[in-house]
Amino acid sequence: MNSFETKNLNSGQFFSDQLVLDPLFVLLDSSISVSESLKKALIDWNFKVVYSNGNITGSAPKVEVDLSKFESVDDFMDESQKKEKVVVADLNKYLRQTITDATKCIKSTPNASPMEEVEKVYEEAMKYIDSTYTRFATHKTLNLKDLSDAVRDLCNFLKDYKKYVLRITPKIKENDKNFIVSHSLRSTIFALTIGLQINMPVSNLIELGVASLVHEIGQIRLPPQLYLTDRMLSPQEMAKLMTHTVLSYNILKDNNFPLSIQLGVLEHHERENGRGYPRHLDGTKTSLYGKILAVACSFEAISAPRRYKAAKSTYEAMIEMLSNKDKQYNDIVIKALVQALSLFPIGAYVYLSNGKIAQVTEANNSDPRTPIVQILGEKNEAGNPRTVQTDMHNFRIVRVLSKDELEAVLKSLAGKTVQ
């Protein structure tokens, strides 16, 4: 195998065979040229040498095809591929239309509660992810453009309506096998929220969102009893379950996803202290996407119900993340999470120092301890729900409601429209 110094790579170069880091990690197919962004990423990750069984060539290999026989691209497809193309188009269509309709409805009725429309978008996004995973299970393909378009739409919606999207809480039935879909969507929402907080460019936000949507795709290749059980796994079973990061990476590689997305998915269980998996990398060797996904996925997992555990409150999850036991997570990413959601995360129900009960509706960028809250059962002069800026004195948050207290509050609100 031939070796090539990373610093000597030039944009536009092609290799006559795959360019790799090692036998597992393929960087480029022979049909794709070297880019400046790839070179910069390799240098940033301190990969000084790359390898190939081929040599540098002037252009991509030519594939001769007699196009005179074909009337359109569809003529290259078999029946299952044509059906797949229609399914992809429909999935994008339904999600995009739901987002468009919800946005119009919210803007046209400014005094009405947006929650009903936001929940429609959330449910359609769940269906989209479920169909994406199902489609991969049946067709063994993922469509990068389709996923990127969906993430772009979700990201734009999240920018405008984050304070409502983050108030949606996950629900899971005792035998619900759909938790991977719920986990993927909520992790994506948290990851994009972090990305927006650190002013990540749109192109990177889309890559981050795609990585988050499909980060569990490798679990499809594992026996369901490994991730749908409520019993303790044996060491052998746990080791097998932990291979899902590599399986996901290989799936994305086989479908020609960008290396940055591949690595984000591969590294979402790596830890800053080097005690994660699969490669036991410390924080100096993991990508930004991997760091963000590690925080977003862990925060989601702590605060979501599973068949084998009850959910902790988002406040408890935030405290656990902030404690950062054994320095597992990147401090900057955790700071972005708490600034975006607040110490008492958006959606949490809290007791105030004046004896009132409220729900956190918006973060305070200047102080995560004092978010904006909505007082339950109170209206302002215009007849809308009353919101106040909490502080450390008159409107101080004393504590979050306990599980039993929250259930009692939600029961009392049953049948009413949540504002």
Side-chain angles (χ1 to χ4, degrees):
M1 185 169 283
N2 301 318
S3 62
F4 302 87
E5 291 190 29
T6 302
K7 65 180 181 181
N8 293 331
L9 297 178
N10 294 314
S11 179
Q13 284 180 332
F14 287 87
F15 285 78
S16 58
D17 202 344
Q18 290 180 330
L19 186 68
V20 303
L21 289 177
D22 56 44
L24 179 63
F25 295 97
V26 177
L27 294 171
L28 294 176
D29 186 73
S30 60
S31 63
I32 303 174
S33 65
V34 175
S35 65
E36 283 300 323
S37 60
L38 173 62
K39 180 178 178 180
K40 182 179 183 301
L42 289 171
I43 292 173
D44 289 345
W45 297 328
N46 200 32
F47 291 114
K48 297 180 180 179
V49 180
V50 292
Y51 306 91
S52 177
N53 283 323
N55 291 298
I56 296 173
T57 63
S59 60
K62 293 184 178 180
V63 177
E64 298 296 337
V65 178
D66 182 5
L67 297 177
S68 63
K69 304 183 217 177
F70 303 101
E71 294 182 359
S72 72
V73 175
D74 286 352
D75 291 318
F76 286 96
M77 301 179 180
D78 59 27
E79 288 304 313
S80 65
Q81 289 172 321
K82 290 179 182 179
K83 184 177 180 181
E84 173 75 359
K85 181 181 176 184
V86 173
V87 170
V88 169
D90 284 346
L91 290 173
N92 248 348
K93 172 186 172 183
Y94 294 142
L95 180 58
R96 177 164 293 181
Q97 191 61 52
T98 303
I99 291 174
T100 299
D101 292 345
T103 302
K104 287 181 179 179
C105 184
I106 293 170
K107 290 182 177 179
S108 64
T109 53
N111 293 327
S113 168
M115 283 304 300
E116 184 176 347
E117 297 301 322
V118 171
E119 286 173 350
K120 289 179 183 177
V121 172
Y122 189 92
E123 288 303 314
E124 195 60 44
M126 284 276 286
K127 292 177 185 177
Y128 173 82
I129 297 173
D130 184 39
S131 298
T132 298
Y133 275 59
T134 301
R135 190 170 74 244
F136 174 76
T138 56
H139 290 74
K140 301 297 185 286
T141 59
L142 290 171
N143 188 305
L144 176 60
K145 183 180 184 305
D146 172 49
L147 287 163
S148 299
D149 289 345
V151 169
R152 181 184 289 107
D153 293 339
L154 285 172
C155 191
N156 288 335
F157 190 77
L158 186 62
K159 282 181 185 178
D160 294 331
Y161 304 110
K162 180 186 77 172
K163 65 181 182 179
Y164 300 107
V165 175
L166 291 172
R167 289 163 68 179
I168 298 176
T169 56
K171 300 176 179 65
I172 190 166
K173 298 177 182 177
E174 183 178 354
N175 295 317
D176 189 1
K177 296 182 179 181
N178 219 27
F179 80 89
I180 290 180
V181 173
S182 176
H183 171 70
S184 297
L185 177 56
R186 294 187 77 232
S187 295
T188 300
I189 291 170
F190 294 136
L192 290 175
T193 298
I194 292 169
L196 289 167
Q197 184 67 34
I198 62 176
N199 297 315
M200 186 177 280
V202 173
S203 59
N204 296 114
L205 280 171
I206 292 172
E207 287 192 339
L208 173 64
V210 170
S212 187
L213 277 182
V214 299
H215 75 278
E216 301 286 22
I217 198 76
Q219 294 209 32
I220 289 177
R221 291 185 172 171
L222 295 173
Q225 57 267 31
L226 292 180
Y227 52 86
L228 294 179
T229 182
D230 54 4
R231 64 177 175 81
M232 181 75 72
L233 295 179
S234 69
Q236 293 79 10
E237 289 173 322
M238 182 59 71
K240 192 166 186 177
L241 180 61
M242 290 168 64
T243 65
H244 79 276
T245 55
V246 176
L247 293 173
S248 297
Y249 163 81
N250 284 327
I251 289 169
L252 300 184
K253 181 183 68 173
D254 291 343
N255 284 271
N256 299 315
F257 278 53
L259 178 63
S260 53
I261 295 178
Q262 296 176 29
L263 289 178
V265 169
L266 180 68
E267 296 169 355
H268 75 274
H269 278 290
E270 299 287 3
R271 295 294 180 255
E272 293 291 294
N273 57 17
R275 298 176 190 170
Y277 64 87
R279 295 186 291 168
H280 311 294
L281 302 178
D282 64 32
T284 64
K285 298 181 178 68
T286 52
S287 64
L288 177 58
Y289 296 167
K291 295 177 190 296
I292 292 175
L293 288 179
V295 170
C297 294
S298 295
F299 181 76
E300 195 288 325
I302 296 168
S303 60
R306 294 287 189 267
R307 297 175 73 241
Y308 54 86
K309 74 173 184 69
K312 290 186 177 181
S313 70
T314 52
Y315 173 73
E316 291 173 309
M318 186 65 76
I319 293 299
E320 188 169 329
M321 297 303 297
L322 283 170
S323 68
N324 201 8
K325 184 179 179 181
D326 298 326
K327 300 297 180 183
Q328 297 182 70
Y329 307 105
N330 181 271
D331 288 333
I332 294 175
V333 177
I334 291 177
K335 182 179 180 180
L337 178 73
V338 71
Q339 287 179 328
L341 271 67
S342 90
L343 178 62
F344 304 93
I346 295 172
Y349 288 86
V350 295
Y351 271 122
L352 302 182
S353 55
N354 60 5
K356 297 183 182 296
I357 298 176
Q359 185 183 29
V360 179
T361 58
E362 197 168 350
N364 175 9
N365 290 330
S366 61
D367 189 345
R369 299 172 301 172
T370 57
I372 296 171
V373 300
Q374 179 177 299
I375 308 296
L376 298 190
E378 294 190 11
K379 304 283 186 179
N380 59 21
E381 293 180 356
N384 297 320
R386 183 188 176 204
T387 59
V388 298
Q389 171 72 67
T390 58
D391 53 38
M392 300 305 293
H393 304 288
N394 298 328
F395 287 100
R396 179 172 57 87
I397 294 178
V398 176
R399 62 178 176 86
V400 297
L401 270 62
S402 68
K403 182 180 178 180
D404 290 341
E405 290 169 336
L406 178 56
E407 288 179 354
V409 168
L410 294 179
K411 185 176 181 180
S412 70
L413 295 174
K416 300 179 182 179
T417 300
V418 179
Q419 302 294 328

